[in-house]
Amino acid sequence: MRIFIVPISTRRALIYARPVGQELSKERTIVDKITNKAAETWAKWEEADKGWKKHLVSWGNRVQQRIPYQEWGLKSIPSLSSQQRIDKTYGTKKVDVLFPGNAVRSEKLHSLLQAIATERQDLHRKRMWWSFLATPLTIPVGLLPVIPNIPFFYLVYRGWSHWRALNGSKHLEFLLEKDLLNPISYPALEKLYAKRVSYALESTEVDKPHYEMVEDVERSDDKLLLRMSDAKKLATILEAPDLALEAERAIVQVQEQLSSHDQGDKDQSPPKAKDA
């Protein structure tokens, strides 16, 4: 496994894990098979021109876009038990963590990862149990003809999603506690972020030394760093095709949050005095 830290703004970052080498060719678990089967079914429903399948897919896609990017990122990290099942020596060697050293200070990477690993654990645990415990309440809906039990499947999906994110966070916490992470400031990422930081922080030159650029990032307000077109660039740079969708989702969400925050500041600012 290899972990990527992708700063979306000067204050927020996406974590993403990608399997490498022999991990890609190992036998899939039952959960993986069920997940892939569900994905295939969903893809077929997306081809529907009309009817409940089309409406369901449209609604489902909107729901997925609203799931926080932090949850998607943690879900990309496999559970510790599954990783140890794939590789019996797992836990004895370090895992590479690739990040742009001109946007994230290497000395603060540990605290950043610690926050990502622990901040949402209680939330995922509570919502996982709430989703699973609420599923029996949807049984009467399943008695209706033709239309599938949407509330049941939704709750099962959300419970599974929180379970995956919780396991990913615990795995990351394990790697931190055992000092099994190997930070690497990746040159290709540094090149991309040099341009993006320079654009976002107008006073920062693109050829500034890394230690000076990261200082500018830390001193700045929270500003968006990436553009939508950067998502595919990141996927290519890091050889992780699935990262493109995750990065796009994170960019949209962070952009909306920053816009909402800016609008809130404007609404709270005192009115300007009228000219006499």
Side-chain angles (χ1 to χ4, degrees):
M1 180 178 69
R2 178 171 284 181
I3 295 175
F4 309 129
I5 296 298
V6 180
I8 304 299
S9 73
T10 54
R11 294 289 180 275
R12 314 177 202 208
L14 167 70
I15 189 171
Y16 184 80
R18 178 177 67 86
V20 295
Q22 62 177 349
E23 300 171 18
L24 294 169
S25 59
K26 291 292 183 178
E27 184 177 357
R28 295 180 300 172
T29 65
I30 294 176
V31 174
D32 291 331
K33 293 177 180 179
I34 294 174
T35 303
N36 289 339
K37 181 62 177 178
E40 291 174 3
T41 302
W42 191 260
K44 290 180 180 178
W45 287 1
E46 286 182 321
E47 297 174 0
D49 295 327
K50 57 183 179 179
W52 64 265
K53 291 181 181 179
K54 181 176 178 61
H55 292 297
L56 176 60
V57 167
S58 178
W59 171 80
N61 287 336
R62 289 198 300 272
V63 168
Q64 292 193 66
Q65 285 298 107
R66 290 172 57 189
I67 295 175
Y69 70 90
Q70 298 96 326
E71 182 176 330
W72 287 103
L74 289 172
K75 283 165 58 176
S76 72
I77 304 174
S79 68
L80 178 59
S81 59
S82 66
Q83 200 69 10
Q84 290 174 331
R85 185 171 58 251
I86 292 173
D87 182 2
K88 301 301 181 183
T89 65
Y90 189 79
T92 61
K93 50 191 175 183
K94 295 203 172 189
V95 175
D96 291 340
V97 180
L98 276 58
F99 70 103
N102 50 356
V104 178
R105 189 185 297 276
S106 59
E107 294 85 355
K108 294 186 176 181
L109 187 62
H110 187 279
S111 61
L112 171 62
L113 290 169
Q114 186 69 34
I116 291 174
T118 59
E119 282 183 345
R120 299 175 63 86
Q121 279 192 12
D122 286 343
L123 180 147
H124 291 307
R125 186 180 293 106
K126 290 176 182 177
R127 293 189 178 179
M128 174 190 71
W129 285 115
W130 184 92
S131 297
F132 287 144
L133 292 174
T135 52
L137 301 177
T138 66
I139 291 176
V141 180
L143 301 178
L144 299 175
V146 183
I147 300 177
N149 191 340
I150 304 303
F152 171 82
F153 289 113
Y154 171 76
L155 289 173
V156 169
Y157 170 73
R158 292 303 291 130
W160 169 82
S161 182
H162 287 298
W163 173 77
R164 281 284 302 270
L166 180 61
N167 279 322
S169 68
K170 288 182 176 180
H171 186 173
L172 180 59
E173 190 175 18
F174 167 83
L175 295 175
L176 287 163
E177 289 176 351
K178 300 298 183 181
D179 191 25
L180 291 174
L181 295 176
N182 177 39
I184 300 173
S185 186
Y186 198 52
L189 282 177
E190 293 170 353
K191 184 177 180 181
L192 172 63
Y193 275 92
K195 297 177 182 177
R196 295 297 173 258
V197 170
S198 177
Y199 182 83
L201 312 180
E202 298 177 0
S203 60
T204 303
E205 300 294 333
V206 70
D207 56 353
K208 243 187 180 183
H210 291 176
Y211 71 91
E212 292 184 10
M213 183 170 286
V214 78
E215 286 179 355
D216 291 344
V217 169
E218 291 177 347
R219 285 195 297 262
S220 75
D221 295 330
D222 196 3
K223 295 185 177 181
L224 192 70
L225 291 176
L226 296 182
R227 308 169 184 175
M228 288 297 287
S229 59
D230 292 326
K232 291 183 179 179
K233 293 179 183 177
L234 286 166
T236 300
I237 290 171
L238 298 172
E239 299 179 358
D242 293 341
L243 174 58
L245 178 59
E246 305 300 340
E248 287 177 354
R249 184 183 291 115
I251 292 168
V252 169
Q253 291 183 6
V254 171
Q255 188 172 36
E256 289 177 350
Q257 291 164 8
L258 290 176
S259 298
S260 177
H261 181 268
D262 292 342
Q263 185 60 45
D265 289 344
K266 290 180 180 179
D267 292 342
Q268 294 177 12
S269 62
K272 295 182 180 180
K274 294 183 178 180
D275 294 334

